[in-house]
Amino acid sequence: MLTRRIIPCLDVKAGRVVKGISFLNHRDAGDPVQLAAFYNESGADELVFYDITASSDERNIMVEVVEQVARQVFIPLTVGGGIRSVDDMYRMLRAGADKVSINTAAVLNPQLIEDGAKRFGSQCIVLSMDARRINEPGQPSQWNVFTHTGRDPRPTGLDAIEWAKRVVDLGAGELVINSMDADGTGAGYDNELLAAISAQVGVPVIASGGAGKPEHLLAALHEGQADAVLAASIFHFGTYTVEAVKDYLAAQGIPMRRTPRPV
Amino acid sequence: MIAVINYGAGNLPNAVRALEYVQAPIEVVTDPAAVLAADAVVLPGVGATADTMRSLREMGMDSAIRAVIARGTPFLGICVGMQVLAEQSEEFGLHECLGLVPGTIRRFDQGLKVPQIGWNSVQHDGSALWEGIPNGAEFYFVHSYYLATNDAALVAGRTEYGLTFPAAIARDNITAVQFHPEKSGQWGLKLLGNWVELARGRALGIRDRD
């Protein structure tokens, strides 16, 4: 049976993972290779590296980071952040990424999705979107897509569900749906948004934003009909291990990939 | 020497990294002569069978692959590198493949999410390829098409996705897997290591007979 995926997301700046992981007592918590190895050993099904660097020098360092990780950790790697062209995609894929994630660049230039999918295949192209609820309470649910969510969120006027359908038509192979309303709250994913998109597209949907406890991941997989869940802080701050979350989800009847425990 | 065929497949670098990690004596090759000279051959792949067949033909690799398989050289196909071994593929219009194993490459049914992306369990036949790998272990799949074959004896591992399809096939010197061992964590590395050991045994045998 196809298992549901648990995907930790790591922010990388100038070759270092930011937001330290306090429970890694004997390791360098900022080293991407060691962290990737740690998450791999603890059962992560994939890893996402999100490049939050600003300069082109730092971007070259990111390519080296991907190379180092890909030589040591043999699970799927996705790289996002700052990918604006097919050449940017190629550099990351050649360095060892299996997929690239695009967000703002796809809104500004939807052709990028099609060009990337034609050149590398849809399975390489992950479309990430930041969506925020715009309906008034009591009105039918509606979400719009925003860009530049890190610094100054800008509305695009795009309806999230329509955008999801369009990017899949253009060739996106997976969708990461990040709820701006839920992100950072630790109060759970926006399962209504996830379910609305999952019902409309034939590609895997990955939930993002809002995880605070394992029950939230379960709800995203059940009510949200998500194929995978992405989470950052609940793992990074050591609140839960990937293993513990998988144990919980498996006990709830969710198909999980089980990895052998280190003895 | 194990030749890894470079015809522009997207997963070539990661397949190479994984084979290097298991200490396989590999060389990445683009020349059919290098394939003919190799002790064993790996054909990686990701993408479409039609494109892959076109690339292999343009490079003269199709006849090199046929020749090494006919002569008993250990051969490992990965993902599309498995699919091109079939007789034909229905991807982007029915077209001919290498015809080295019986069967047709078909698309998964409507109603499933396609491509299948993720970790799925493999029920294997317990042969030496799977040594040390538990039955039902998960491997990483990314594909929209699968091998439909009536030859049950060919199938070395089975997986469910809407239907049961061959996750792995093995016959004589041919081994091929639909999943990506280079992205399947420790079981994927174990399988690659097992194949390299099997290939070593076979390649030595070939040299002895010469």
Side-chain angles (χ1 to χ4, degrees):
Chain A
M1 190 185 280
L2 184 66
T3 60
R4 308 290 184 103
R5 289 170 278 156
I6 307 294
I7 309 174
C9 177
L10 302 161
D11 287 343
V12 180
K13 188 174 196 304
R16 305 286 295 167
V17 178
V18 297
K19 289 181 193 165
I21 301 191
S22 49
F23 61 96
L24 287 176
N25 297 326
H26 304 294
R27 307 197 195 206
D28 175 357
D31 176 9
V33 178
Q34 290 198 28
L35 270 178
F38 169 78
Y39 276 123
N40 175 39
E41 285 158 26
S42 64
D45 296 311
E46 294 188 36
L47 292 171
V48 173
F49 286 92
Y50 200 76
D51 181 6
I52 56 170
T53 58
S55 71
S56 57
D57 281 357
E58 288 176 344
R59 217 160 277 292
N60 287 332
I61 296 171
M62 187 65 190
V63 170
E64 287 163 29
V65 165
V66 175
E67 275 176 357
Q68 286 170 28
V69 173
R71 269 199 290 272
Q72 295 296 323
V73 179
F74 297 91
I75 61 175
L77 306 176
T78 301
V79 178
I83 290 166
R84 297 187 183 89
S85 66
V86 169
D87 284 345
D88 290 342
M89 293 177 181
Y90 179 67
R91 290 177 72 208
M92 288 304 174
L93 295 172
R94 192 183 48 184
D98 299 282
K99 314 176 198 180
V100 289
S101 171
I102 50 174
N103 185 338
T104 299
V107 173
L108 299 176
N109 174 24
Q111 183 68 33
L112 181 61
I113 303 167
E114 193 172 351
D115 292 347
K118 279 210 173 113
R119 173 121 179 244
F120 309 113
S122 288
Q123 82 290 336
C124 280
I125 311 298
V126 180
L127 188 289
S128 178
M129 74 163 80
D130 293 307
R132 176 185 280 171
R133 187 179 284 273
I134 56 158
N135 59 288
E136 297 297 326
Q139 297 297 310
S141 295
Q142 203 181 348
W143 299 266
N144 266 10
V145 177
F146 284 68
T147 59
H148 302 86
T149 46
R151 299 168 299 251
D152 59 323
R154 298 179 200 171
T156 63
L158 292 166
D159 177 77
I161 294 165
E162 292 307 313
W163 177 237
K165 284 154 67 175
R166 182 158 172 230
V167 299
V168 170
D169 286 344
L170 286 168
E174 286 183 284
L175 303 182
V176 172
I177 309 299
N178 184 51
S179 162
M180 294 164 67
D181 304 303
D183 197 15
T185 63
Y189 298 89
D190 186 338
N191 298 319
E192 190 190 350
L193 169 63
L194 291 167
I197 290 178
S198 207
Q200 295 285 332
V201 298
V203 302
V205 167
I206 302 168
S208 167
K213 51 184 182 176
E215 288 80 356
H216 296 150
L217 281 72
L218 178 67
L221 296 169
H222 266 163
E223 292 146 42
Q225 287 297 302
D227 299 277
V229 282
L230 192 139
S233 49
I234 64 162
F235 297 134
H236 299 338
F237 300 147
T239 324
Y240 298 94
T241 62
V242 176
E243 239 165 3
V245 166
K246 282 188 149 186
D247 283 343
Y248 166 77
L249 292 172
Q252 302 298 313
I254 302 283
M256 286 279 124
R257 163 188 171 240
R258 310 321 305 274
T259 44
R261 307 285 155 110
V263 233
Chain B
M1 183 269 291
I2 299 174
V4 184
I5 300 177
N6 180 8
Y7 61 95
N11 68 332
L12 175 86
N14 283 329
V16 165
R17 287 182 186 96
L19 286 161
E20 282 172 345
Y21 191 84
V22 299
Q23 313 279 320
I26 57 160
E27 197 173 301
V28 176
V29 305
T30 52
D31 181 359
V35 170
L36 292 168
D39 298 310
V41 176
V42 178
L43 183 64
V46 68
T49 48
D51 288 348
T52 303
M53 280 305 300
R54 193 177 312 119
S55 302
L56 293 176
R57 283 196 190 106
E58 279 169 11
M59 296 170 77
M61 281 296 180
D62 54 335
S63 42
I65 291 169
R66 282 201 180 90
V68 294
I69 284 179
R71 129 196 340 173
T73 304
F75 178 94
L76 175 65
I78 297 173
C79 193
V80 172
M82 164 173 168
Q83 296 186 355
V84 292
L85 301 176
E87 292 166 291
Q88 54 194 355
S89 168
E90 295 179 354
E91 188 173 10
F92 301 124
L94 191 68
H95 59 274
E96 205 176 309
C97 293
L98 292 169
L100 294 163
V101 300
T104 297
I105 302 304
R106 295 225 162 96
R107 195 168 206 275
F108 282 121
D109 287 342
Q110 299 295 321
L112 290 169
K113 289 203 175 186
V114 176
Q116 171 180 221
I117 299 183
W119 299 80
N120 203 331
S121 60
V122 174
Q123 301 299 321
H124 64 63
D125 65 2
S127 57
L129 180 67
W130 307 97
E131 195 200 308
I133 300 172
N135 207 4
E138 285 92 3
F139 289 82
Y140 190 74
F141 290 81
V142 180
H143 62 132
S144 303
Y145 289 77
Y146 65 96
L147 172 68
T149 182
N150 293 324
D151 188 345
L154 180 67
V155 180
R158 289 182 168 77
T159 292
E160 295 272 340
Y161 191 62
L163 77 177
T164 303
F165 68 92
I169 57 173
R171 169 167 294 162
D172 304 327
N173 54 321
I174 298 178
T175 304
V177 291
Q178 179 58 67
F179 50 82
H180 287 277
E182 76 279 12
K183 282 289 149 183
S184 294
Q186 76 172 104
W187 301 137
L189 294 170
K190 180 76 179 128
L191 180 129
L192 287 174
N194 288 347
W195 178 79
V196 170
E197 281 316 303
L198 289 168
R200 260 195 194 113
R202 229 176 220 282
L204 285 173
I206 294 163
R207 274 201 289 272
D208 287 344
R209 278 200 297 276
D210 286 344

